[in-house]
Amino acid sequence: MQANEDSLAELLAGRYPDACGRFGPFGGRYVPETLMPALERLEAGVRAHLHAADFRAELDRELRDWVGRPTALTHARGLSERWGAEVWLKREDLAHTGAHKINNALGQALLARRLGVSRVIAETGAGQHGVASAAACARVGLSCRVYMGAIDMERQAPNVDRIRRLGADVVPVESGDRTLRAAIDEALRDWVADPEGTYYLLGSVVGPHPYPYLVRELQRVIGDEARQQIEERAGRLPDVIFACVGGGSNAIGLFHAFLGADDVAIFGVEAGGRGLRLGDNAATLATGRPGVLHGCYTMLLHDADGQVQETHSISAGLDYPGVGPEHAFLQMTGRVSYVTASDEDALEALNECCSAEGILPALESAHALAGARSWAREHAGSSLLIGLSGRGDKDMPTLAAHRTRARDAAA
Ligand SMILES: *Cc1c(COP(=O)(O)O)cnc(C)c1O
């Protein structure tokens, strides 16, 4: 226990990631030798620019004028009444392109320009990070190529059109599992081929150092704003905060401002899918074991032979067999608890949020709502802050297909 408290104190003191890019045992840089110089160059660029006054000024201006920050903090009156609690929503659904992903994409696009690179590559699964990257590159004046698994391109056709309309080219990935995992592999391969002329814009707090740190620093604006807003409006900090966890970027972004506030309980909600058997969910922290994926030592969903497994979630954005190393670390220290919400829980929470608040949340965000709702049932009268990571318009086809399936099953 003491060791874990010491580890958390080290994190709060800013000593993680350490010089090797580790959060305790997690993180690091497990990549081919050919990629090391590119990662070292990126790390030096991050150190030189990310917290420099002129870069921050440019980023803050663009976050305000183009992304639309600060995003609102909404007092959710309808949910508060239903749950017997005080519920606050941090509205990343109101950010440009409809989710928190733009905070990261814009920040990295500006960084790429500072580093003198004009060609950006990105990976995308459901297409949301591809859209954010294409939009940010158009704004900043960079060319953008997005790798996307061939299966995902079929499943997410409207996002493929959006990415192309925003001026990026989309490259189908036919190798491996032909989904997000293969798209990341392909993007890394592209980067190895031209490490000096290319910037790899990674979409979450995953991958080799310095990405988990870089993306966290770009997403922590969520929690910094929310903490200030809730202190002003409620006059105190919430009792508990909730966010959904795929790779973990919106969650880390919300959590960071509250990690040192001992009285605030923190929960990450993973995709429990159809159940907790391997293959039926994307609940990496709740059910996984440590291993290496995409250049990083972290918790993973793999079988006894170390084969990374396919995941399932109704929400494409949570469907990833790994998770950011800082989450694995926060779980180890006990500071953050990780729970699951099933597909059905998320659908129910999504419907409730629509009718009680007039907000259609993303299916990803609905997992955070579902986790919060079951906690509120057992803690009457408490105050909850929930990260609403994105809007649900993109999920309309999934919701329609689910309704059809449910009707067929009933018939
Ligand atoms: C992509 C996405 C997520 C999952 O990504 P994280 O890195 O875990 O935040 C969550 N919510 C929405 C709306 C997304 O688009």
Side-chain angles (χ1 to χ4, degrees):
M1 241 11 228
Q2 188 55 45
N4 287 339
E5 274 170 35
D6 291 349
S7 300
L8 184 65
E10 297 274 311
L11 179 75
L12 292 172
R15 281 194 278 275
Y16 290 131
D18 64 18
C20 302
R22 287 180 180 276
F23 300 84
F26 301 107
R29 216 175 241 171
Y30 296 83
V31 297
E33 234 6 85
T34 44
L35 213 53
M36 281 308 241
L39 288 167
E40 278 159 11
R41 233 183 347 259
L42 175 60
E43 188 183 0
V46 168
R47 214 177 304 120
H49 297 292
L50 192 61
H51 295 108
D54 57 340
F55 182 81
R56 288 305 316 183
E58 183 180 31
L59 176 58
D60 289 346
R61 194 171 56 239
E62 288 295 275
L63 286 173
R64 185 189 64 208
D65 298 344
W66 185 69
V67 172
R69 304 205 73 87
T71 57
L73 179 76
T74 299
H75 180 215
R77 283 192 220 104
L79 292 178
S80 296
E81 201 167 294
R82 287 169 193 229
W83 297 0
E86 185 178 304
V87 183
W88 298 87
L89 304 176
K90 179 58 176 165
R91 301 286 307 281
E92 292 303 294
D93 59 312
L94 298 177
H96 181 44
T97 66
H100 68 289
K101 287 197 169 73
I102 198 71
N103 305 325
N104 170 48
L106 171 67
Q108 288 200 57
L110 290 172
L111 180 64
R113 195 170 63 183
R114 290 263 157 164
L115 298 179
V117 177
S118 61
R119 177 179 183 265
V120 169
I121 57 170
E123 84 295 336
T124 198
Q128 296 302 110
H129 177 58
V131 169
S133 299
C137 286
R139 173 72 179 175
V140 172
L142 304 168
S143 86
C144 181
R145 156 174 287 198
V146 178
Y147 288 96
M148 190 167 183
I151 293 178
D152 287 334
M153 284 182 72
E154 253 171 61
R155 290 193 290 202
Q156 315 286 340
N159 269 341
V160 176
D161 290 343
R162 277 172 92 195
I163 295 167
R164 288 185 171 141
R165 174 107 23 216
L166 288 163
D169 70 41
V170 181
V171 180
V173 176
E174 300 282 0
S175 56
D177 64 358
R178 300 197 296 151
T179 68
L180 176 60
R181 190 148 49 99
I184 297 180
D185 287 334
E186 204 55 39
L188 286 169
R189 224 166 278 144
D190 179 321
W191 201 21
V192 170
D194 177 24
E196 295 199 25
T198 300
Y199 184 95
Y200 179 23
L201 206 174
L202 191 58
S204 189
V205 285
V206 300
H209 181 63
Y211 285 107
Y213 166 75
L214 169 60
V215 179
R216 178 249 275 176
E217 289 300 295
L218 292 170
Q219 291 292 3
R220 64 188 296 167
V221 64
I222 303 171
D224 290 343
E225 284 177 9
R227 181 167 175 155
Q228 200 187 343
Q229 287 167 318
I230 202 164
E231 280 184 318
E232 273 172 28
R233 302 267 301 281
R236 54 171 291 226
L237 294 180
D239 295 313
V240 63
I241 63 180
F242 282 88
C244 65
V245 178
S249 67
N250 87 91
I252 279 286
L254 180 65
F255 295 170
H256 245 262
F258 297 91
L259 287 176
D262 293 339
D263 294 341
V264 180
I266 306 181
F267 286 87
V269 186
E270 296 188 302
R274 311 181 271 253
L276 292 184
R277 259 200 355 233
L278 190 63
D280 282 347
N281 60 74
T284 312
L285 290 161
T287 70
R289 291 176 298 117
V292 171
L293 179 66
H294 297 137
C296 176
Y297 181 72
T298 186
M299 297 292 278
L300 299 179
L301 293 172
H302 49 189
D303 65 15
D305 300 328
Q307 291 294 319
V308 174
Q309 295 299 295
E310 304 234 331
T311 51
H312 164 80
S313 169
I314 190 166
S315 143
L318 300 183
D319 219 344
Y320 179 66
V323 68
E326 193 169 3
H327 284 291
F329 175 80
L330 287 169
Q331 181 186 45
M332 184 193 86
T333 65
R335 178 64 185 98
V336 180
S337 308
Y338 294 87
V339 296
T340 63
S342 70
D343 290 350
E344 290 302 325
D345 297 338
L347 282 165
E348 225 175 87
L350 179 143
N351 288 330
E352 187 179 32
C353 186
C354 286
S355 55
E357 296 302 333
I359 298 169
L360 169 57
L363 271 168
E364 292 84 358
S365 321
H367 286 73
L369 289 164
R373 182 164 82 147
S374 52
W375 192 88
R377 280 206 190 112
E378 284 163 18
H379 299 82
S382 45
S383 151
L384 294 81
L385 169 64
I386 304 167
L388 206 101
S389 53
R391 66 178 184 224
D393 307 57
K394 66 176 178 62
D395 295 317
M396 291 307 290
T398 308
L399 296 173
H402 190 270
R403 199 168 41 230
T404 309
R405 263 200 313 278
R407 204 172 37 221
D408 292 351

